[in-house]
């Protein structure tokens, strides 16, 4: 009977808890209303509804499948849920394995009812639209585009080393996601998976305000490399809010009606009816991409490292919505190149400073020679020396005493030896990389920090950056001194609190072990870095002004792809450095100033003179460096940062300012006194102005894609059953309007044939609307490099194109077609590239 009574009481208690839990409803939405990239940080919006008494506890985000419980970090938030209330919380989740493991939110014993999830693959493009009716842009899901990728076509992954060719390209469709303005995430990192964000007819008041609201999140995301489209329409007043004014590339907005007859001809659009538009004056530096009768229709501008495009009309309202061929207009808004070399895209960049975190002397195993010497001495004293001494004294019976003494002495010595290497200190070692655009007061930061513990202990680790996202990277254990750290979360990694002030609760670290965590977020620099740099033939003239809160230490001016840089002197807050750099060429490697600048520090046989001076806004200039200032070779983390975050295109449209700042913008607190060391690199992208209108875009400057649909982009092709392949070359964004007066096509082919040529080379004539043959590869006479009969041999052929202007489309693209000759059984296309010269 007592057992039955106890069981009854237990059942009653369980029923009571079940009744309380039934009062709480938990609903989670993964990504942007169920659309997300699983391998990126994605917001998980959790709505909690409480119909019972007040509840307080942890909202836990965990993998939905039990078998993955030990493989993913649990993320939590502290929640106080009053009676009869409804709250919305946003946590973050990402799937480093890319398996698409769906998270489940748990609160008060109630798991979320997860709605359907649409996963966006790497080759697809995610478009997030707000302010439009649900499904208004659904037709874009049928549109296919070629997306640039930082994938495996680059040797060494997304952070180098780089060759000189184009980025890999992959084909995929657009995935549109519609979300209401009130549900937009309030953390800028949530948008890093978005290829294009479109703000439709929304008011700024529809977006949550404040320093940690959706308005601030979108602004920070754009400044750190985001791609945003803002639409106009019939109402110009709503765009007068400071939120829109800070982003828009136009000002002085007025509403009007206009008929778009030829303004959008570049996008194959013609709208003969009257269209409500918002007219404005382009801001300095903005580019007008389309206009009708002097009214700008499409205007693009830069905000920090990001891009903002203003569309003067609403594409979802009649008569524009009824127009055919809107797809080409939408495709023009995507620009993968703007983010390909950005911390937002190259998230694996943290791997290049992981070694700097773990390679402290306390984590290094003692050398095998030292260990062998210690053991050799031990055996020498324990057996031969011990017995020889006792035999000399004829007291061998004392071995029962001396042997334990020697063993104990070496046991203590081994511990002291290890303790001298590992030490009693609690250590925090941190490496941080920040990226910012010229004129942006914020930077995107990515940091690795390791906590080395001298004893087995649990730590509460607080990260001093609001809205930072923290996750465990690896665990290094002294128990495996000659092995590698175990990557991924461990059972004792601690709970990560995804809150405004993020922290890790009770991270267990074994004696002489290290846990490595990664943190990323947006850092307030206190002000921007401003510049005005011009290229005048072989002279680089300009200034750099530091309005940040840090002193820019050991700044170095670097060009894309360079392994050395030009050192400047430290730039203190509020000060300006002026420079006049003269590049003297002693070889014929670079015929123009632009090419000479690209070759800074990388081409042999060059001399350079450097004249530097710096001044404050009100102070007189003073000499800071001699004309023979030494070049600074980039080392380790610095060179890898430049390789990862600066496009290797040989045509330079921007420079990089690489410098150190201190203290760390992401301070770490482990709750105890510790030794703290950190290194922070800041890379600022500086635009470069050219005085000359004549430019030459060598091989590798254009981005090439093909129609083969092969994995990795199809830049290579094998022409056997298919007789032809078409390559589309797109110019750098800032030189799309070049007037081409010289064009060379470079073909690198191999084939099995009795003699050349292997392929006919044709270009698309935009004026005639047809393909026109411009040559053959290799040349008809075979040349010195012609392949032998029946063998495969590479042949590179350069074809000079007459009347090149006919083959350049209005958007600057050039199409090249290779057609295999009928008598050739197969042709391997290794590379196709172009060299373009002309006038801006």
């Amino acid at each position: 009977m007592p057992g039955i009574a106890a069981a009854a009481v237990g059942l009653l208690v369980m029923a009571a808890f079940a009744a309380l839990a039934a009062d709480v409803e938990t609903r989670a939405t993964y990504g942007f209303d169920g659309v997300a990239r699983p391998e990126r940080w994605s917001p998980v919006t959790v709505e909690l509804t409480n119909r019972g008494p007040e509840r307080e506890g942890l909202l836990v985000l965990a993998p939905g499948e039990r078998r993955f419980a030990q493989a993913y970090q649990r993320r939590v938030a502290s929640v106080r849920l009053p009676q009869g209330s409804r709250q919305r919380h946003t946590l973050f989740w990402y799937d480093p394995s890319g398996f698409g493991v769906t998270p489940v939110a748990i609160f008060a014993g109630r798991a979320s009812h997860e709605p359907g999830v649409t996963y966006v693959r790497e080759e697809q493009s995610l478009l997030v639209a707000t302010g439009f009716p649900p499904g208004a842009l659904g037709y874009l899901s049928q549109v296919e585009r070629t997306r640039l990728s930082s994938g495996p076509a680059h040797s060494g992954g997304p952070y180098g080393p780089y060759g000189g060719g184009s980025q890999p390209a992959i084909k995929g469709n657009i995935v549109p996601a519609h979300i209401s303005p009130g549900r937009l995430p309030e953390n800028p990192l949530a948008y890093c998976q978005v290829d294009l964000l479109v703000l439709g007819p929304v008011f700024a008041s529809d977006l949550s305000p404040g320093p940690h609201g959706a308005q601030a999140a979108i602004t920070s995301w754009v400044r750190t490399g985001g791609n945003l489209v803002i639409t106009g329409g019939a109402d110009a007043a709503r765009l007068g809010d400071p939120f829109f004014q800070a982003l828009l590339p136009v000002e002085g907005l007025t509403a009007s009606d206009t008929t778009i007859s030829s303004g959008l001809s570049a996008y194959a659009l013609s709208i003969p009816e009257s269209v409500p538009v918002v007219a404005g004056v382009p801001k300095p530096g903005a580019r007008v991409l389309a206009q009708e009768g002097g009214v700008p229709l499409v205007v693009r501008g830069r905000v920090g490292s990001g891009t903002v495009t203003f569309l003067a009309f609403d594409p979802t309202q009649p008569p524009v919505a009824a127009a055919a061929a809107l797809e080409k207009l939408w495709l023009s808004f995507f620009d993968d190149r703007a983010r390909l070399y950005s911390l937002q895209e190259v998230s694996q960049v943290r791997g290049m400073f992981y070694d700097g975190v773990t390679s402290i002397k306390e984590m290094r195993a003692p050398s095998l020679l030292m260990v062998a010497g210690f053991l050799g001495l031990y055996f020498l004293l324990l057996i031969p020396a011990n017995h020889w001494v006792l035999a000399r004294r004829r007291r061998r019976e004392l071995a029962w005493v001396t042997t334990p003494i020697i063993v104990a002495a070496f046991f203590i010595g081994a511990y002291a030896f290890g303790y001298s290497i590992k030490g009693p200190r609690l250590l925090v070692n941190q490496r941080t990389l920040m990226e910012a655009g010229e004129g942006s007061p914020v930077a995107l930061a990515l940091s690795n920090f390791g906590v080395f513990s001298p004893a087995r202990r649990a730590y509460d680790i607080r990260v001093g950056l609001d809205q930072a996202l923290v996750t465990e990277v690896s665990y290094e254990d002294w128990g495996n001194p000659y092995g590698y750290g175990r990557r991924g979360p461990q059972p004792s990694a601690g709970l990560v609190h995804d809150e405004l002030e993020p922290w890790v609760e009770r991270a267990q670290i074994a004696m002489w072990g290290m846990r490595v965590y990664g943190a990323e977020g947006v850092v307030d620099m206190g002000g921007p870095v401003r510049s005005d740099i011009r290229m005048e033939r072989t002279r680089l003239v300009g200034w750099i002004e530091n309005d940040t809160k840090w002193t820019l230490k050991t700044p170095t001016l670097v060009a894309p792809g360079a392994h050395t840089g030009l050192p400047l002197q430290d730039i203190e807050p509020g000060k300006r450095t002026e420079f006049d750099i003269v590049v003297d060429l002693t070889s014929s490697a670079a015929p123009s100033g632009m090419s000479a600048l690209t070759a800074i520090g990388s081409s042999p046989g060059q001399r350079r003179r450097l004249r530097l001076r710096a001044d404050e806004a009100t102070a007189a200039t003073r000499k800071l460096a001699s004309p023979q200032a030494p070049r600074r070779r980039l080392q380790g983390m610095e060179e890898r940062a430049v390789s990862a975050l600066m496009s290797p295109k040989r045509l330079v449209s921007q420079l990089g300012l690489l410098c150190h700042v201190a203290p760390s913008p992401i301070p770490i607190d482990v709750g105890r006194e510790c030794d703290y060391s950190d290194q922070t690199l800041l890379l600022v992208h500086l635009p470069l102005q050219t005085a000359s209108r004549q430019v030459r875009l060598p091989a590798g400057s254009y981005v090439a894609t093909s129609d083969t649909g092969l994995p990795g982009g199809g830049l290579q092709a094998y022409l056997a059953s298919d007789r032809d392949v078409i390559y589309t070359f797109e110019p750098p964004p800032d030189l799309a309007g070049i007037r081409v007066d010289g064009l060379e096509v470079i073909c690198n082919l191999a084939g099995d044939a009795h003699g050349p040529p292997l392929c006919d080379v044709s270009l698309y004539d935009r004026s005639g609307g047809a393909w026109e043959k411009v040559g053959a590869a290799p040349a008809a006479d075979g040349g010195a490099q012609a392949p032998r009969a029946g063998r495969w041999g590479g042949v590179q052929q350069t074809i000079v194109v007459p009347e090149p202007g006919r083959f350049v489309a209005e958007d600057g693209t050039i199409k090249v077609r290779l057609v295999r000759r009928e008598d050739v059984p197969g042709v391997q296309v290794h590379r196709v590239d172009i060299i373009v010269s002309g006038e801006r």
Side-chain angles (χ1 to χ4, degrees), residues 87-337:
Q87 294 181 4
R88 191 180 69 175
H89 298 267
T90 300
L91 301 178
F92 281 83
W93 184 263
Y94 91 109
D95 180 9
S97 63
F99 292 152
V101 177
T102 303
V104 171
I106 305 171
F107 180 73
R110 298 286 292 181
S112 61
H113 300 287
E114 183 67 35
V117 179
T118 300
Y119 291 118
V120 182
R121 301 186 302 273
E122 180 188 2
E123 68 272 15
Q124 295 176 316
S125 301
L126 176 57
L127 181 150
V128 175
T130 186
F132 301 112
L137 302 179
Y139 63 92
L140 293 178
S141 61
Q142 306 300 319
V143 178
E144 186 180 61
R145 68 178 295 262
T146 301
R147 183 176 187 271
L148 296 182
S149 167
S150 57
H154 284 320
S155 173
Y159 40 89
Y162 288 96
S166 304
Q167 291 80 25
I170 46 182
K171 285 188 176 181
N173 64 300
I174 298 174
V175 180
H178 292 79
I179 186 171
S180 63
R183 297 176 62 88
L184 283 172
E186 298 176 342
N187 188 318
L189 296 181
Y191 300 89
C192 290
Q193 61 178 287
V194 178
D195 294 288
L196 183 66
L197 176 65
V198 184
L199 295 183
V202 299
F203 289 86
S205 57
D206 297 332
L207 311 176
S208 55
H212 303 295
Q215 293 184 22
I218 293 173
T219 302
S220 296
W221 170 69
V222 172
R223 286 172 171 171
T224 55
N227 190 8
L228 174 68
V229 170
I230 301 176
T231 65
D235 188 1
R238 67 180 181 87
L239 299 178
D241 188 273
F243 164 70
F244 287 109
Q245 287 298 304
L247 296 173
L248 283 170
V250 292
E251 55 190 357
L253 304 177
T254 57
S256 62
D257 291 339
T258 186
T259 300
I260 306 175
S261 56
S262 61
L264 298 176
S265 58
Y267 309 104
L269 275 176
S270 179
I271 307 172
E273 302 178 51
S274 180
V275 178
V277 300
V278 173
V281 180
K283 293 180 180 178
R287 295 174 53 214
V288 178
L289 304 180
Q291 59 181 335
E292 180 74 34
V295 177
L297 299 177
V298 183
V299 186
R300 182 167 296 166
R302 302 290 296 178
V303 178
S305 300
T307 304
V308 178
T309 304
F310 174 63
L311 191 61
F313 50 87
D314 186 345
T316 65
Q317 296 296 320
V320 181
L326 279 173
E327 293 84 355
K328 188 174 182 180
L329 177 65
W330 284 108
L331 286 173
S332 69
F333 297 148
F334 290 91
D335 186 5
D336 299 314
R337 287 168 295 187

Side-chain angles (χ1 to χ4, degrees), residues 454-683:
R456 182 176 179 83
R457 190 171 292 144
Y459 298 90
D460 289 342
I461 305 172
R462 299 191 176 273
V463 179
L465 177 64
D466 292 351
Q467 295 184 305
L469 298 182
V470 183
T471 189
E472 188 188 22
V473 176
S474 73
Y475 179 49
E476 303 279 352
D477 194 344
W478 172 244
N480 183 25
Y482 296 101
Y484 295 97
R486 297 189 290 272
R487 296 299 178 94
Q490 300 297 314
S492 56
L495 297 175
V496 177
H497 286 251
D498 262 2
E499 300 179 80
L500 184 60
E501 299 178 357
W503 61 291
V504 182
E505 182 180 4
R506 298 192 62 78
Q508 293 282 349
I509 305 178
M511 182 177 183
W512 295 337
M514 173 182 278
R515 285 200 182 275
V516 182
Y517 289 89
E520 51 189 296
V522 175
V523 174
D524 181 6
M525 301 194 300
V529 174
R530 305 184 189 278
S531 68
D532 183 8
I533 306 176
R534 304 178 306 281
M535 189 69 197
E536 300 175 355
R537 298 182 65 84
T538 58
R539 293 176 61 239
L540 190 67
V541 182
W543 52 263
I544 300 173
E545 183 176 273
N546 177 21
D547 290 334
T548 71
K549 58 186 176 183
W550 303 301
T551 296
L552 305 183
K553 299 180 180 179
T554 62
T556 305
L557 201 61
V558 293
H563 300 287
T564 60
L566 295 169
L568 311 178
Q569 202 167 40
D570 293 357
I571 311 176
E572 297 181 0
K575 292 187 177 180
R576 172 183 294 188
T577 291
E578 297 182 356
F579 49 84
D580 186 340
I581 301 172
V582 180
V583 182
D584 294 332
L585 300 179
T586 57
S587 67
S588 58
S592 67
M594 294 291 286
S595 300
L597 176 62
T598 309
I600 285 178
S602 59
S603 294
Q606 290 190 358
R607 299 193 309 266
R608 53 192 55 75
R609 298 193 303 271
L610 179 64
R611 299 196 297 270
L612 296 176
R613 61 185 186 275
D615 59 5
E616 299 183 42
T618 57
T621 62
R622 55 191 176 91
K623 189 174 182 181
L624 291 181
S626 68
Q628 302 299 326
R631 293 177 299 167
R632 178 186 175 189
R633 178 161 186 83
L634 305 177
Q635 297 291 339
M637 178 178 168
E638 298 180 352
E639 183 174 343
R640 291 194 294 271
V642 173
S643 297
L645 300 179
M646 295 191 69
S647 168
K649 289 181 297 188
R650 297 191 181 107
L651 178 73
V652 179
S653 58
Q654 65 174 358
L655 300 175
L657 181 68
L658 187 66
C659 53
H660 294 78
V661 298
S664 173
I666 310 179
I668 308 300
D669 181 12
V670 294
R672 297 172 180 267
E673 185 178 352
C674 66
D675 289 350
Y676 184 84
S677 64
D678 70 273
Q679 179 184 4
T680 301
L681 280 180
L682 170 63
L683 178 66

Side-chain angles (χ1 to χ4, degrees), residues 237-426:
R238 67 180 181 87
L239 299 178
D241 188 273
F243 164 70
F244 287 109
Q245 287 298 304
L247 296 173
L248 283 170
V250 292
E251 55 190 357
L253 304 177
T254 57
S256 62
D257 291 339
T258 186
T259 300
I260 306 175
S261 56
S262 61
L264 298 176
S265 58
Y267 309 104
L269 275 176
S270 179
I271 307 172
E273 302 178 51
S274 180
V275 178
V277 300
V278 173
V281 180
K283 293 180 180 178
R287 295 174 53 214
V288 178
L289 304 180
Q291 59 181 335
E292 180 74 34
V295 177
L297 299 177
V298 183
V299 186
R300 182 167 296 166
R302 302 290 296 178
V303 178
S305 300
T307 304
V308 178
T309 304
F310 174 63
L311 191 61
F313 50 87
D314 186 345
T316 65
Q317 296 296 320
V320 181
L326 279 173
E327 293 84 355
K328 188 174 182 180
L329 177 65
W330 284 108
L331 286 173
S332 69
F333 297 148
F334 290 91
D335 186 5
D336 299 314
R337 287 168 295 187
R339 290 175 51 194
L340 190 59
Y341 298 91
S342 168
L343 280 176
Q344 290 188 348
E345 186 72 18
V346 192
S347 59
Q348 301 95 324
V349 76
R350 68 158 51 97
M352 61 187 191
F353 48 88
Y354 172 79
D355 292 339
V357 173
T358 58
S359 61
I360 58 177
K361 69 179 184 65
E362 286 79 3
M363 287 302 298
R364 297 175 193 157
S367 67
L368 292 176
L369 182 63
M370 187 179 297
V371 174
F374 184 85
L375 292 177
L377 180 62
Y378 171 66
F379 285 112
L380 178 66
L381 293 179
L382 181 65
I383 301 176
N386 184 25
H387 284 265
W388 182 80
V389 171
L390 294 179
R392 286 287 304 265
R393 293 179 175 272
R394 299 180 180 180
R395 299 294 301 274
R396 292 185 177 180
E397 69 277 6
L398 293 179
W400 293 96
V401 178
T402 57
T403 298
I405 292 176
I406 294 174
V407 172
F410 270 86
F411 176 81
I412 297 173
Y415 183 84
F417 175 64
Y419 197 79
S420 66
I421 296 176
K422 299 298 178 180
R425 299 179 301 164
L426 174 63

